[in-house]
Each structure stands twice: as structure tokens, then as C-alpha cells.
């Protein structure tokens, strides 16, 4: 286990450096942030500001300086907020993580029972209806779902708040919007995984013992079908963090998604780098938790794999 953790730590460092390099290169290729900060200032004043922000140094020097400071938890000063980027990201991260976790929980709460039902009742009307919902759900973009839910439940029926993140009622529409993005995929994975195991020998043996069908499915079949579900859940967690950018923008949620969106528009380099690195951190942690769940679900999987 120690060797496993060391390898994961080294992999995390390599991922962070790679993500930082790609993000850093794209941001500097997209334009000069000083032109947005001082759009009508003389070039001499712009040059002074570049020197003050460290943007006049060669790009390799800027990148090494950022990586060195980031290792100490210093992402630099936000160009537009005039505050440390690290503090701003830390303040907004709990909101984004809460939104993502609630969305994943809602997606699994729908996908698990529906996927199990369609596997047990294969080729029935319910199975075909669920398949149609899967295709429909995967074809709808997140921002469109959010706007439609907002128009119906907030504007037309006035049941839920339009925006915000200050009460349980205000969390419903954003979480449903983000969860709808991945629920169809979870349903499909649960169904296909269950179809692979429900007719195996150990499941037939459990049925022969006189156990009820749903007890056999939930206790014996589901655990052995859970490995693909856990894998997809871990991967989708990272994608949902990216999808939170659109969701938070639509609903005006004060998370890192909206922060990153505004920082990208304004080319706020420290803020963008900080949000990207934090997102990479939580994706790596999610993948580590997936590996731990693998060992719990199937002890035959080596701990150092």
C-alpha cells in the first residue's frame, strides 16, 4: 500500500505539472491580459503594468516561478479581484463540490433502481421507455436543460428560486440540471453490468435457496456488477466538475465554475491556473477513492495495481 500511495503521489505531481503547462501555454497564446485591464492606456503604461505583474519575463521564467510558488500554496494575486487567487478558490470550492456531490447522488438514486429494473425486466415496455429516455437525456446540453427547468419551475410555476445557493430549495434546479447530464449514462452502465451477472451460476444458486428475486439482485448481483459503475462514477465526477462551469453560470451560483468562466474571459492568469489545479486535485482524489472501492468490492484486485 505504501508503494501504491507513493506512485499515486508521483502521478499526481506529474498530472499537475502537465495540466499547468498546457493551461499556461493556452492562456498566453490567447492574448495579452494587460490590454483588457488598460484598454485605452498608452503603451508605456501597459509596459509598466506588465513589469509589475511579471508578464514581461520570458515564458519559461514565468512558468517556473508559478510552479515554485504554487508548491507553497501561492497562485499569485488575481489581476481583477486584487486578492490572492488561492484564497478565492478555496472560498468557492465547497460550493462547487457540494453541487457536484448532490448531482452525483441524485443521478445514482435514479439510475440504480431504474437500471436494475430494466435489466430484470429486459425487453419490456419499461425497458424500452428507459432506453428512449437514455438517448433523449444524452442528447440535451446542460445549459438548455437548466434554462428549461428555470423557465418552468421558477418563472412559470414559481415553485423554486431562479438562482442562488443559500437554501435547499435553491439547490434543487442546479443539482437536477447537472445530474441530468450524467443520469442516462449511469442507467445504461447499470443495466449492461446487471445483464452480465444476473444469469451467472452464483445468482442461480441464490435463487435456488429460495431468496426473493430482489434480494438476490440487490445482495448478490449488484455488488459484483458494481465495478463498472464505480469506474464510470469516478470518471464522471471529473466531467461534472467541468459541467459545473455552465450550470453555475446559468444559475448564478458562487462556485469556482463561475469564477473560472469570468477569469477566462478576462484572461486572469493566476485565477485560471488556480481553479484548474484545484479541479485536477479533486479529480485525482476521486480516482484514488475509486481504487479503494475496487479493493473493497473485489479483494482479489491487487492493492498496488
Amino acid at each position: 500500500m505504501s508503494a501504491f500511495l507513493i506512485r499515486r503521489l508521483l502521478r499526481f505531481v506529474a498530472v499537475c505539472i502537465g495540466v499547468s503547462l498546457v493551461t499556461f501555454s493556452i492562456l498566453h497564446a490567447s492574448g495579452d491580459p494587460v490590454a483588457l485591464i488598460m484598454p485605452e492606456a498608452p503603451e508605456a503604461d501597459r509596459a509598466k503594468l506588465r513589469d509589475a505583474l511579471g508578464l514581461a519575463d520570458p515564458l519559461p521564467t514565468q512558468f517556473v516561478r508559478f510552479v515554485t510558488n504554487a508548491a507553497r500554496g501561492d497562485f499569485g494575486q488575481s489581476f481583477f479581484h486584487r486578492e490572492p487567487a488561492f484564497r478565492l478558490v478555496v472560498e468557492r470550492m465547497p460550493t462547487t463540490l457540494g453541487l457536484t456531490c448532490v448531482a452525483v447522488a441524485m443521478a445514482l438514486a435514479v439510475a440504480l433502481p431504474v437500471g436494475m429494473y430494466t435489466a430484470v425486466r429486459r425487453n419490456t415496455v419499461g425497458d424500452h421507455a428507459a432506453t428512449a429516455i437514455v438517448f433523449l437525456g444524452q442528447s440535451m446540453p446542460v445549459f438548455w436543460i437548466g434554462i428549461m427547468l428555470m423557465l418552468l419551475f421558477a418563472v412559470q410555476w414559481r415553485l423554486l428560486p431562479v438562482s442562488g445557493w443559500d437554501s435547499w430549495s435553491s439547490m434543487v434546479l442546479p443539482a437536477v440540471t447537472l445530474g441530468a447530464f450524467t443520469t442516462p449514462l449511469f442507467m445504461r452502465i447499470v443495466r449492461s453490468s446487471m445483464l452480465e451477472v444476473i444469469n451467472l451460476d452464483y445468482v442461480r444458486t441464490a435463487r435456488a435457496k429460495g431468496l426473493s428475486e430482489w434480494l438476490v439482485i440487490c445482495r448478490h448481483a449488484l455488488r459484483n456488477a458494481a465495478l463498472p459503475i464505480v469506474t464510470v462514477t469516478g470518471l464522471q465526477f471529473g466531467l461534472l466538475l467541468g459541467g459545473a462551469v455552465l450550470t453555475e453560470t446559468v444559475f448564478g451560483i458562487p462556485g469556482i465554475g463561475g469564477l473560472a468562466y469570468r477569469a477566462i474571459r478576462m484572461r486572469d492568469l493566476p485565477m485560471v491556473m488556480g481553479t484548474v489545479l484545484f479541479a485536477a486535485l479533486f479529480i485525482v482524489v476521486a480516482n484514488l477513492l475509486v481504487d479503494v472501492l475496487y479493493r473493497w468490492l473485489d479483494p482479489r484486485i491487487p492493492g498496488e495495481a
Side-chain angles (χ1 to χ4, degrees):
M1 183 59 69
S2 298
F4 169 74
L5 293 176
I6 291 174
R7 280 200 298 271
R8 281 299 176 134
L9 179 61
L10 294 176
R11 189 180 301 175
F12 166 70
V13 173
V15 167
C16 288
I17 293 176
V19 168
S20 301
L21 181 59
V22 172
T23 307
F24 185 85
S25 302
I26 293 175
L27 287 174
H28 279 80
S30 63
D32 183 12
V34 175
L36 293 176
I37 299 174
M38 305 174 64
E40 300 179 358
E43 184 58 32
D45 294 337
R46 292 184 181 184
K48 292 180 181 179
L49 182 58
R50 290 190 191 96
D51 290 334
L53 297 177
L55 299 176
D57 298 331
L59 292 183
T61 303
Q62 294 184 45
F63 180 72
V64 172
R65 181 172 61 235
F66 171 79
V67 172
T68 303
N69 293 334
R72 300 195 297 264
D74 180 13
F75 295 147
Q77 195 88 355
S78 170
F79 294 165
F80 294 92
H81 294 275
R82 306 297 183 184
E83 298 181 44
F86 181 84
R87 186 178 71 190
L88 290 171
V89 174
V90 169
E91 289 175 353
R92 303 290 185 92
M93 197 65 192
T95 301
T96 300
L97 282 179
L99 172 61
T100 304
C101 291
V102 172
V104 170
M106 294 178 66
L108 289 175
V110 174
L112 281 176
V114 175
M116 292 165 58
Y117 174 84
T118 55
V120 175
R121 301 289 188 265
R122 185 180 182 183
N123 295 326
T124 61
V125 175
D127 183 23
H128 295 312
T131 302
I133 293 174
V134 166
F135 286 116
L136 181 64
Q138 290 184 321
S139 64
M140 294 186 296
V142 173
F143 67 89
W144 185 86
I145 296 175
I147 292 173
M148 291 300 103
L149 291 176
M150 187 185 299
L151 288 175
L152 288 176
F153 290 93
V155 177
Q156 185 72 26
W157 298 332
R158 300 183 181 276
L159 297 176
L160 296 168
V162 175
S163 62
W165 191 256
D166 53 359
S167 63
W168 284 106
S169 59
S170 64
M171 301 178 187
V172 174
L173 290 183
V176 171
T177 300
L178 194 57
F181 174 72
T182 193
T183 299
L185 176 61
F186 286 166
M187 288 170 55
R188 189 175 64 182
I189 295 298
V190 171
R191 181 182 183 275
S192 60
S193 299
M194 292 295 296
L195 287 175
E196 292 179 0
V197 301
I198 56 176
N199 291 319
L200 295 180
D201 292 340
Y202 70 91
V203 177
R204 287 198 296 266
T205 301
R207 289 195 184 101
K209 292 179 179 179
L211 298 178
S212 66
E213 180 67 15
W214 282 108
L215 185 60
V216 171
I217 295 299
C218 296
R219 178 180 295 180
H220 297 278
L222 180 59
R223 178 167 181 173
N224 290 278
L227 290 181
I229 302 171
V230 170
T231 302
V232 173
T233 302
L235 295 175
Q236 288 297 307
F237 186 85
L239 293 177
L240 288 178
L241 280 176
V245 174
L246 290 175
T247 305
E248 291 177 0
T249 302
V250 170
F251 289 96
I253 298 174
I256 67 166
L259 194 67
Y261 173 72
R262 290 187 293 272
I264 291 171
R265 288 186 58 192
M266 304 303 293
R267 298 190 186 98
D268 191 343
L269 306 184
M271 186 61 62
V272 175
M273 298 294 289
T275 54
V276 169
L277 279 181
F278 261 80
L281 168 65
F282 283 101
I283 291 172
V284 171
V285 171
N287 290 333
L288 179 61
L289 292 177
V290 167
D291 290 338
V292 173
L293 284 175
Y294 264 35
R295 285 284 294 164
W296 178 74
L297 293 170
D298 190 351
R300 296 171 298 178
I301 297 177
E304 285 82 14

